[in-house]
Amino acid sequence: MKLFIYHTPELTPSSGVPDCAIAIDVLRATTTMVTALAAGAEAVQVFSDLDKLINESDSWPTEKRIRAGERGGAKVAGFDMGNSPLDCTPEQVQGRRLFISTTNGTRSLERVQKAGAVMAGAFVNRRAVVNYILSEAPETVWIVGSGWEGSFSLEDTACAGAIAQSLVTELNLPVEQVAGNDEVVGAIALYEQWKDRLLELMHQASHGQRLLRLDCDEDLKYCVQMDLLDVLPIQREPGVLVKRR
């Protein structure tokens, strides 16, 4: 198995796709997707374009859909919800499809949607991601962070490092045998340094600070909970993720 980490979708190779790809947007898209499916959402459908989201979801009955839109950390006007996982209660999402577009995370999923297997990862479902990779043993794995508008983000790289560190430990192999690029070594080092202070790291991250200015401090506390949910959002068809059974 060779593991590659890319800090943003723009940094992935322009040709070819891996056997398995994990998109990460800790703050907050992939955390929200995991939480929505754990709370009983029928599926999550991702869009980078808001107009396409509206057009596609128009064909669904109002009671069977939720439009979730976020730009710059804030809820898009006219949408049912923004990008907070705390809004994904069973009362809100049970049996409904979440149509979601965010500033960063949905772009990562679109970039890797042609991979052999595509899933959404976050701190809250780190163990579910690791268990899938260990059981399926894909030859090539990409972990793709979302970053912030094309640039590196601390939170996504730390989460990628958490996944990579678990894989290296459980495979019982030297990191150099697993790492396909230097970013794997760097991400593991970042996670190891901050693994007991993840909330503090979120407060130092630029997007964490942005969310704090929007009074989303409870979101940050939720998003750093490790292995909270045994749920793996996995792509059933391009752009549509469901809970792996």
Side-chain angles (χ1 to χ4, degrees):
M1 179 190 298
K2 280 295 182 183
L3 178 63
F4 299 81
I5 290 174
Y6 300 101
H7 299 311
T8 69
E10 291 81 6
L11 291 172
T12 58
S14 57
S15 61
V17 291
D19 299 307
C20 175
I22 303 125
I24 295 176
D25 186 1
V26 171
L27 300 177
R28 296 163 288 171
T30 54
T31 304
T32 296
M33 293 172 195
V34 174
T35 305
L37 291 174
E42 176 265 337
V44 174
Q45 190 162 350
V46 301
F47 299 83
S48 57
D49 183 88
L50 291 169
D51 290 334
K52 287 182 180 178
L53 184 158
I54 292 170
N55 290 337
E56 182 75 19
S57 60
D58 269 343
S59 63
W60 284 67
T62 304
E63 68 275 11
K64 289 293 186 180
R65 74 179 188 219
I66 300 173
R67 289 171 172 166
E70 170 267 328
R71 289 295 182 269
K75 174 178 173 287
V76 175
F79 277 59
D80 301 312
M81 58 179 276
N83 189 23
S84 173
L86 300 182
D87 290 338
C88 295
T89 61
E91 294 77 15
Q92 174 81 344
V93 305
Q94 180 78 40
R96 304 171 79 182
R97 177 167 296 203
L98 186 69
F99 294 86
I100 185 169
S101 179
T102 71
T103 307
N104 303 294
T106 47
R107 288 171 33 254
S108 291
L109 280 161
E110 286 196 341
R111 168 62 190 91
V112 298
Q113 67 182 13
K114 293 182 181 178
V118 177
M119 59 206 69
F123 285 122
V124 295
N125 74 330
R126 186 272 308 259
R127 171 50 48 190
V129 172
V130 170
N131 286 346
Y132 176 90
I133 296 171
L134 291 173
S135 67
E136 299 300 317
E139 288 190 19
T140 55
V141 179
W142 290 4
I143 304 178
V144 182
S146 298
W148 178 260
E149 296 184 342
S151 60
F152 171 93
S153 69
L154 286 169
E155 65 276 7
D156 292 346
T157 300
C159 183
I163 295 169
Q165 188 264 354
S166 289
L167 287 171
V168 168
T169 299
E170 297 192 36
L171 289 168
N172 196 27
L173 292 171
V175 66
E176 60 267 21
Q177 283 190 226
V178 179
N181 60 4
D182 288 354
E183 286 88 337
V184 174
V185 179
I188 291 174
L190 177 67
Y191 170 67
E192 289 283 5
Q193 180 175 350
W194 289 93
K195 62 184 179 182
D196 298 320
R197 297 177 293 147
L198 289 174
L199 183 59
E200 184 182 341
L201 181 64
M202 298 305 105
H203 283 231
Q204 295 200 23
S206 59
H207 191 38
Q209 294 174 17
R210 192 176 293 109
L211 291 172
L212 287 172
R213 291 193 293 271
L214 293 168
D215 297 323
C216 295
D217 48 324
E218 293 301 317
D219 278 24
L220 298 188
K221 293 175 185 176
Y222 179 86
C223 290
V224 297
Q225 294 184 80
M226 189 73 73
D227 304 333
L228 178 68
L229 301 169
D230 185 21
V231 171
L232 184 64
I234 194 160
Q235 184 172 263
R236 182 177 64 196
E237 58 192 82
V240 178
L241 292 91
V242 296
K243 181 179 177 180
R244 183 174 185 252
R245 302 298 178 186

